[in-house]
């Protein structure tokens, strides 16, 4: 933890040095020489590298804390006190043990009645409850969108969400005058479920090694693959066979500002984007953009000569832009003609619907010739922005 704080302070000092260098080396026309530009970009690259190292250490600290939890709890209560109810179904220890025996193909000749709790029609097994919770935590670590959005769970069918499209208003009327009608208009957003799948191959030698943590490996690998594909869809998905992203032209965020240039973002345009969002949404609003766009934004100043981008120096706090948190994702479009490069809004109005029952299936014969065993993992999920006005985007000039 001290190492993380040390790196944050080092990054803040390095950023102050970069700003001072930039201010001192600008010519009367406000430009840098080629040599000074190269020096500044090296300093800026160091700031970015430190930021990425801080993110890695923070993720590692969270994972170390999770893995350091005890696997068993000492008996400290008296026999006469209330005991925890025994878990049943997919949450039972019997089911969990039987599930991982099946995954490792170590069932032998014993009768595995516990597996019938979660058998599906194609031979797969629903994951035990404990593993499913670990899986969701891993997805949240890999996917920044899940940290911002609202997550709901559906069991079957489509989830229909009623939305007030427009609200009525009051009117001044004369005495005994007719009161005009003014009704609210309602709409409906339908969230379904799209299938996301991946296949993992593991060697037989690795499976038979008792030291190898199969559960942890599958959770991490599934999280990495599914998390990346999910986040891409939540940002730029077109709604065809996948969720609808906030940058999609149909069903996405509302247009806040159109930049005057197709290659650069101006400070005034970011301020206009900030105020294009209604004040109630700004209370929980977050900027989201590509890391390459942040590089251009770092050089912008306000009217008082203060840089708009401010690095975080406290543990657990993100970098800020106009005093609002700033998040980055490789799936946000980069600055280009006609591209939507920056989003600002309350992302809790983007709903992610997880369909219950992630499933795994062991594939024994498919890779038998190469001495490997396949694991097929599937998940059903959808996501949509419920209110377009809750998130605004900055679009570059076409």
């Amino acid at each position: 933890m001290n190492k993380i704080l040390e790196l944050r302070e080092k990054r803040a000092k390095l950023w102050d040095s970069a700003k001072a260098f930039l201010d001192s080396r600008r010519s009367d026309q406000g430009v840098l020489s080629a040599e000074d530009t190269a020096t500044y970009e090296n300093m800026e690259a160091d700031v970015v590298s430190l930021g990425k190292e801080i993110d890695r250490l923070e993720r590692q600290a969270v994972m170390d804390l999770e893995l350091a939890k005890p696997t068993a709890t000492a008996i400290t209560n008296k026999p006469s006190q209330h005991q925890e109810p025994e878990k049943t179904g997919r949450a039972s220890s019997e089911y969990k043990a039987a599930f991982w025996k099946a995954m490792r193909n170590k069932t032998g000749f014993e009768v595995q009645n516990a597996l019938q709790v979660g058998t599906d029609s194609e031979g797969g097994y629903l994951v035990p409850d404990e593993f499913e919770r670990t899986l969701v935590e891993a997805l949240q670590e890999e996917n920044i969108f899940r940290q911002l959005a609202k997550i709901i769970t559906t069991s079957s069918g489509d989830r229909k969400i009623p939305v007030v499209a427009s609200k009525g208003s009051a009117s001044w009327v004369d005495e005994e005058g007719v009161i005009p009608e003014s009704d609210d208009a309602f709409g409906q957003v339908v969230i379904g479920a799209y299938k996301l799948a991946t296949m993992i191959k593991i060697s037989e030698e690795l499976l038979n090694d008792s030291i190898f943590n199969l559960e942890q490996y599958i959770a991490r690998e599934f999280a990495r693959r599914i998390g990346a594909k999910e986040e891409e869809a939540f940002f730029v998905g077109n709604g065809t066979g996948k969720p609808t992203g906030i940058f999609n032209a149909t069903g996405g965020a509302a247009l806040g500002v159109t930049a005057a240039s197709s290659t650069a973002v101006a400070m005034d345009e970011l301020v206009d984007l900030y105020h294009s969002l209604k004040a109630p949404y700004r209370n929980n609003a977050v900027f989201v953009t590509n890391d390459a766009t942040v590089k251009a934004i770092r050089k912008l100043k306000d009217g008082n000569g203060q840089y708009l981008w401010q690095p975080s120096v406290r543990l657990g706090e993100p970098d800020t832009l106009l005093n609002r948190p700033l998040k980055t994702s490789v799936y946000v479009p980069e600055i280009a003609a006609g591209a939507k490069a920056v989003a600002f809004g309350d992302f809790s109005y983007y709903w992610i619907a997880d369909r219950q029952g992630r499933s795994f299936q062991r594939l024994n014969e498919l890779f038998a010739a190469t001495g490997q065993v396949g694991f097929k993992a599937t998940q059903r999920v959808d996501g949509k922005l419920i209110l377009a006005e809750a998130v605004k985007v900055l679009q570059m000039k076409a």
Side-chain angles (χ1 to χ4, degrees), residues 147-161:
Q147 302 170 15
L148 304 175
K150 176 181 175 68
I151 300 175
I152 62 174
T153 302
T154 61
S155 57
S156 62
D158 294 336
R159 174 68 70 91
K160 298 179 179 179
I161 305 167

Side-chain angles (χ1 to χ4, degrees), residues 57 213 312 344 346 360:
L57 289 176
N213 191 326
S312 170
F344 177 63
D346 187 347
F360 290 84

Side-chain angles (χ1 to χ4, degrees), residues 63 67 100 131 213-221:
M63 193 170 296
L67 296 179
W100 287 113
F131 180 72
N213 191 326
L214 176 66
E215 297 93 324
Q216 188 180 83
Y217 172 79
I218 291 181
R220 287 184 179 178
E221 187 64 12

Side-chain angles (χ1 to χ4, degrees), residues 132 135 139 146 151-158 191-197 222 226 230 234 241 243 352-359 377-383:
E132 185 166 329
L135 181 64
L139 283 174
R146 284 182 171 266
I151 300 175
I152 62 174
T153 302
T154 61
S155 57
S156 62
D158 294 336
I191 295 183
Y194 297 107
K195 188 174 181 178
L196 192 56
F222 186 28
I226 296 295
E230 272 187 346
F234 295 155
I352 298 174
D354 286 328
R355 181 63 55 88
Q356 287 180 338
R358 300 178 183 90
S359 64
T378 60
Q379 177 180 337
R380 299 181 68 192
V381 63
D382 192 10

Side-chain angles (χ1 to χ4, degrees), residues 64-83:
D64 288 341
L65 183 63
E66 180 67 25
L67 296 179
K69 290 181 179 179
T71 57
T73 304
I75 300 177
T76 57
N77 61 322
K78 296 180 181 179
S80 59
Q81 292 179 343
H82 174 71
Q83 300 291 329

Side-chain angles (χ1 to χ4, degrees), residues 28 45 54-56 72 100 105 116 130-132 149 152 165 177 209 238 247 260-261 267 276 290 305 311 349 360:
D28 295 339
I54 290 169
D55 291 339
R56 280 193 292 268
W100 287 113
N105 200 23
Q116 295 179 2
E130 284 76 6
F131 180 72
E132 185 166 329
I152 62 174
D209 186 358
N238 58 11
F247 289 102
S261 170
M267 182 206 72
S276 69
N290 191 288
Y349 285 91
F360 290 84

